[in-house]
Amino acid sequence: MQRRLEAGWCQKIAWSVLVVASLSILVWVPFLYVGIKRGRRADWVTFAVFAVYTVVVLPWAGVRGDGPGDPVLGAFAIIAMAAAVCMLLFTVFDKPGTKFDAVYTAQPEGRQFLQ
């Protein structure tokens, strides 16, 4: 059975604020948390994508730091930030339920009545 990771709106918003306040530099942190807590392959892939994003963007920003700015870098950062916030608010965390619901989803049909 897979582990569940539920979060209320306050936690979802707090993770989103971290992403926006850091200008998407710390975008990998909430996904590392999800990967450690839930441990699904998709969570680790998402973490790896955002970690690679950070590794690519930091040197890119350092090289292009002279002058008025790079509009492509800005657009890239905004798109990554928007994608991360949408994922954190709507798709990453499991919907609230009870442990009772999670146990009975793994049992064959009709077995829940035999207990």
Side-chain angles (χ1 to χ4, degrees):
M1 182 181 342
Q2 294 182 354
R3 292 183 286 184
R4 295 177 46 85
L5 181 61
E6 299 173 4
W9 279 103
C10 289
Q11 185 178 5
K12 292 176 184 180
I13 291 172
W15 283 121
S16 299
V17 167
L18 173 73
V19 170
V20 173
S22 70
L23 300 175
S24 76
I25 299 300
L26 296 177
V27 70
W28 56 272
V29 173
F31 297 100
L32 175 63
Y33 169 77
V34 171
I36 290 171
K37 292 294 250 182
R38 192 165 52 185
R40 294 181 186 164
R41 183 179 304 161
D43 298 332
W44 287 110
V45 169
T46 307
F47 162 70
V49 167
F50 283 115
V52 167
Y53 161 80
T54 303
V55 168
V56 168
V57 165
L58 285 177
W60 185 6
V63 170
R64 304 291 288 183
D66 306 341
D70 187 0
V72 175
L73 176 64
F76 195 58
I78 290 172
I79 290 169
M81 191 182 321
V85 168
C86 288
M87 288 174 69
L88 288 168
L89 291 178
F90 303 112
T91 64
V92 171
F93 295 100
D94 295 321
K95 291 187 177 16
T98 62
K99 220 175 213 184
F100 186 73
D101 294 337
V103 169
Y104 288 129
T105 58
Q107 292 185 356
E109 188 175 331
R111 297 283 296 170
Q112 66 268 23
F113 301 112
L114 297 176
Q115 293 183 352

